[in-house]
Amino acid sequence: MIRIGQPPMPLVRAVDFVRHTLTVLHRKLVPGPIALMEVIAAGWLTQALYAAANLGIADALADGPRTGRQLARAVGAHEDALHRLMRLLISHGIFTRDARGRYALTALARPLCADSEVSLRDAVLFFGSELHRRHWTHITEAVRTGEAVGAKIDGKPFFEYVADDRETGEIFDRAMTSISTLTMGPLLASYDFGRFGTVVDVGGGEGLLLGEILRGAPRSRGILFDLAEVVAKAPATLAELGVADRCVVESGSFFDRVPPGGDAYLLKHIVHDWDEDRIGQILRVLRTAMTRDSRLLLVELVLPENTRPHPGKYIDLEMLINTGGRERTESEYRDLLARAGFTLERCVPTISPDNILEARLT
């Protein structure tokens, strides 16, 4: 389990407010064109991070500091060019360089290590990849038409493409897993899954989240449900977490069926992937499996009803470009669920951007 200290929610909100206020103040203290240029350059920083992850720089520094020459040899890079890359990253607190010219990890660089407790290396490799850049260059078309551009570029919808092109698909799968580990601790700390006898994780991948839920809820049982090729590695994951004896693995498509008889049906980052017609199909399938006592638990990036920055506002455009899905506010989720015959009972925040939307059959 990812064990990161969980600060209280009021403190998280206060820090977030202060960060936003300082950002606004900074941009007001410099000329508009300069402030805008800083925003433009953020895209270059992402590509610099991609290069660092691709070269394995953080892994090369995991055992201790190295000189520029030593690091260049370790990662197979040109020493001067590597120095220029590191100079930019160091200016943003990613890596450091001491008086002896030795590079080392910082708190921001450590998540770039492949074996870090919370590793974002694979997320950087996906979001900095040529495929991802290519899709985002077509954002204007996506905004003009309101349609995902991936199918036009790649010849098939996004999820079909990553399923068929396994090199890309594996990078994407690992990226989504790495992001999931980032939010897992806050999710488990914010909600009592132990009140449910059987938790059905719909679209639960290899079972990492469900396994952690069962570890924290020793009286509960689980059903992991996803496509056959996705759950193939799940038994090993569940066994490693020590919950294989309390979890059944089933395969299938949530557009066709889900296992009946669950007390809770958990869908983490599923609904935002699809357009409303496909969401309606998923929710109809869930209705046939649920009982009046069952609960539907949607884990999503619920958009705030304000103009402040929020990760969901980035991911909303990611969905527009790649899948045709979208992020929603709490009121929009309430309306979406109501149209499908569900009543949203509450929205449980976490210290991460994720929220848990708990609903029942109307």
Side-chain angles (χ1 to χ4, degrees), residues 48-228:
L49 274 172
Y50 171 78
N54 211 11
L55 289 167
I57 292 174
D59 292 311
L61 295 173
D63 293 330
R66 294 195 183 200
T67 65
R69 178 169 297 180
Q70 291 170 335
L71 184 58
R73 287 176 178 173
V75 302
H78 185 278
E79 184 177 347
D80 180 62
L82 179 63
H83 164 71
R84 294 161 70 180
L85 174 68
M86 296 296 282
R87 181 169 55 192
L88 171 63
L89 296 174
I90 288 169
S91 71
H92 288 273
I94 307 163
F95 302 108
T96 187
R97 188 168 184 253
D98 64 20
R100 297 167 58 186
R102 299 181 306 169
Y103 296 104
L105 297 176
T106 61
L108 271 70
R110 195 165 298 280
L112 290 174
C113 294
D115 61 354
S116 176
E117 185 178 22
V118 178
S119 175
L120 292 178
R121 178 178 181 272
D122 291 315
V124 173
L125 289 175
F126 175 72
F127 290 118
S129 68
E130 189 274 335
L131 170 73
H132 194 261
R133 294 195 307 273
R134 186 171 74 243
H135 284 194
W136 269 79
T137 61
H138 293 269
I139 184 173
T140 304
E141 181 183 353
V143 172
R144 280 176 176 158
T145 65
E147 298 177 355
V149 299
K152 297 176 183 178
I153 299 170
D154 304 319
K156 59 186 69 174
F158 178 78
F159 288 114
E160 289 184 23
Y161 180 82
V162 295
D164 294 340
D165 182 339
R166 286 318 298 157
E167 182 178 355
T168 302
E170 287 175 7
I171 295 172
F172 174 73
D173 292 344
R174 292 196 301 268
M176 295 305 100
T177 298
S178 70
I179 293 172
S180 182
T181 62
L182 181 66
T183 61
M184 190 177 299
L187 181 66
L188 297 173
S190 301
Y191 193 85
D192 178 18
F193 292 94
R195 65 192 181 96
F196 300 112
T198 300
V199 178
V200 183
D201 192 351
V202 179
E206 297 178 10
L208 181 60
L209 174 58
L210 182 57
E212 293 289 3
I213 287 173
L214 295 179
R215 285 182 68 187
R219 296 182 180 179
S220 300
R221 304 186 67 83
I223 301 175
L224 180 67
F225 184 79
D226 211 322
L227 299 173

Side-chain angles (χ1 to χ4, degrees), residues 314-325:
Y314 293 96
I315 302 301
D316 184 43
L317 289 178
E318 178 81 6
M319 296 299 102
L320 170 64
I321 292 167
N322 284 314
T323 71

Side-chain angles (χ1 to χ4, degrees), residues 199-205 210 223-226 253-255 257-259 264-270 282 285-286 296:
V199 178
V200 183
D201 192 351
V202 179
L210 182 57
I223 301 175
L224 180 67
F225 184 79
D226 211 322
S253 168
F254 48 57
F255 291 113
R257 58 169 291 271
V258 296
Y265 284 81
L266 174 66
L267 287 80
K268 184 174 186 288
H269 297 170
I270 300 294
I282 295 170
V285 169
L286 285 164
L296 173 63

Side-chain angles (χ1 to χ4, degrees), residues 233-284:
K233 298 179 182 178
T237 300
L238 297 169
E240 183 178 348
L241 293 171
V243 298
D245 61 329
R246 291 189 286 125
C247 190
V248 175
V249 178
E250 294 190 25
S251 62
S253 168
F254 48 57
F255 291 113
D256 301 325
R257 58 169 291 271
V258 296
D263 298 301
Y265 284 81
L266 174 66
L267 287 80
K268 184 174 186 288
H269 297 170
I270 300 294
V271 169
H272 77 155
D273 284 333
W274 306 97
D275 61 36
E276 191 152 335
D277 288 342
R278 297 291 266 172
I279 295 171
Q281 187 176 351
I282 295 170
L283 294 176
R284 284 193 295 273

